[in-house]
Amino acid sequence: LRRQARGKRREVALGIGDDCAVLRPRAGEEMVVTTDLSIEGTHFRREWHPAESVGHRCLARGLSDIAAMGAGPVAAFLSLGLPQKLPQRWVNEFLLGFLTLAKRFEVTLAGGDIAESREGVVADVMVVGAVPRGKAILRSGARAGDVIYVSGSLGGPASTLKRMFAGEKVRAKKNERHFFPEPRIAVAQKLRGVATSMIDISDGLSVDLAHICEESKVGAMVNELLLPVARNASLEDALHGGEDYELLFTARENAHVPVEIAGVAVTEIGWIERGGSVRITDLKKTRALKARGWEHFVR
Ligand SMILES: [Mg+2]
């Protein structure tokens, strides 16, 4: 890991090599921290996911959480539990996936740990980000009358996963979002001062919208006809699929929200209401939108 941790950011005053890393936030900024645990068999399968994809996905999850706060990533910490018989090549390719993504977002690998795992690969990734003081976008800021938006398209990764569950061999192409999800860092930065609340869609639109409603103490109405369902994906995939790593956010009704931010489509999908219920309508019929995420790799 030490050899890999090049390209140090200014905020990382001291990286790998001592007992602790030393982080130094810039004046007027505060740091946000997220941690994600990825477990073989639960979050990925070695027979389905190439090591490079696993490394990418582990870090992308954390970067997506940083984006969801309207923050920018600074440093990552990686702890690995590796089975003794795991080929070194697998580890190298995992690191390639991890570090290629880190480099693209100028994230310094500033620490980590490796230990032997009795069974399966375990990767714990912590990402530290920075945001101007008091400007982090929270889940709790949505108000009745706000408009709900989502970046990109929904359901693509879930439809890929379904195909693999059905026994299809899916090639892990770089543009296949299930294998190489794209954290929406650039989009998120542009939403500071615009979005009233935000979350990244990791568990599925229905679950993550419910989180915003819960934290903001509001309800929501989703317009089914407006949902940006990915090609080859079903409405179910888009509503409950998860692992989209798109941004779900709200803005005041009179706020200017471009239809495209940093090259990514932004779609209005509904509105925030008083009360606590989350519903979906096709403008003829309205029903409850039950929070039902994809149960990762459940047998
Ligand atoms: Mg999240």
Side-chain angles (χ1 to χ4, degrees):
L1 288 184
R2 187 175 311 200
R3 263 185 299 118
Q4 308 281 0
R6 295 205 190 90
K8 201 159 77 83
R9 281 182 67 117
R10 212 159 55 123
E11 295 95 325
V12 182
L14 185 67
I16 294 177
D18 218 303
D19 294 300
C20 290
V22 179
L23 301 181
R24 188 177 294 155
R26 294 176 196 226
E29 291 193 335
E30 52 197 0
M31 308 207 106
V32 295
V33 182
T34 179
T35 171
D36 283 290
L37 186 60
S38 296
I39 298 174
E40 183 178 349
T42 304
H43 301 94
F44 63 92
R45 289 186 182 183
R46 255 191 284 161
E47 62 271 31
W48 286 357
H49 299 94
E52 194 182 346
S53 157
V54 178
H56 178 110
R57 284 162 47 103
C58 287
L59 179 59
R61 286 176 70 190
L63 293 179
S64 183
D65 282 330
I66 297 289
M69 303 298 286
V74 169
F77 299 82
L78 169 65
S79 293
L80 288 170
L82 304 173
Q84 206 189 356
K85 57 182 189 304
L86 188 74
Q88 182 60 39
R89 212 187 121 183
W90 195 94
V91 182
N92 293 345
E93 276 167 22
F94 173 94
L95 287 175
L96 176 70
F98 186 97
L99 292 166
T100 301
L101 186 64
K103 195 174 170 198
R104 196 144 64 74
F105 286 98
E106 294 172 11
V107 179
T108 302
L109 179 58
D113 197 10
I114 297 182
E116 191 184 314
S117 161
R118 291 260 188 95
E119 209 182 321
V121 175
V122 178
D124 184 47
V125 176
M126 194 175 119
V127 184
V128 177
V131 64
R133 190 168 298 175
K135 299 288 188 221
I137 305 170
L138 311 182
R139 296 176 178 182
S140 53
R143 297 291 172 263
D146 283 3
V147 178
I148 308 170
Y149 299 86
V150 71
S151 68
S153 64
L154 301 176
S159 74
T160 305
L161 191 57
K162 269 190 189 166
R163 283 161 59 202
M164 292 195 291
F165 267 117
E168 193 180 325
K169 262 218 166 308
V170 182
R171 269 193 50 215
K173 285 185 285 188
K174 287 284 156 68
N175 62 359
E176 182 78 61
R177 296 280 306 277
H178 171 78
F179 294 100
F180 294 95
E182 181 67 19
R184 299 303 192 191
I185 298 288
V187 179
Q189 311 258 318
K190 295 250 163 70
L191 289 172
R192 280 205 303 266
V194 178
T196 50
S197 72
M198 187 150 70
I199 191 169
D200 65 312
I201 302 183
S202 52
D203 295 332
L205 175 68
S206 65
V207 173
D208 292 312
L209 180 57
H211 286 319
I212 283 195
C213 289
E214 208 173 301
E215 292 301 319
S216 298
K217 300 184 173 64
V218 292
M221 181 72 82
V222 172
N223 182 342
E224 184 181 312
L225 307 173
L226 297 181
L227 283 177
V229 182
R231 246 166 19 104
N232 303 325
S234 66
L235 178 66
E236 283 287 290
D237 296 335
L239 288 175
H240 309 294
E243 295 194 315
D244 293 299
Y245 299 113
E246 295 295 351
L247 296 171
L248 175 67
F249 64 95
T250 57
R252 299 284 181 245
E253 205 180 352
N254 59 3
H256 173 66
V257 178
V259 294
E260 190 183 294
I261 301 176
V264 181
V266 171
T267 311
E268 177 182 332
I269 61 161
W271 60 91
I272 295 293
E273 299 179 327
R274 252 180 270 279
S277 59
V278 184
R279 297 181 294 164
I280 182 166
T281 182
D282 60 5
L283 303 182
K284 287 190 211 113
K285 272 194 199 137
T286 297
R287 59 196 160 94
L289 178 58
K290 291 218 178 74
R292 189 155 60 75
W294 178 264
E295 278 96 62
H296 295 245
F297 302 92
V298 172
R299 56 254 95 194

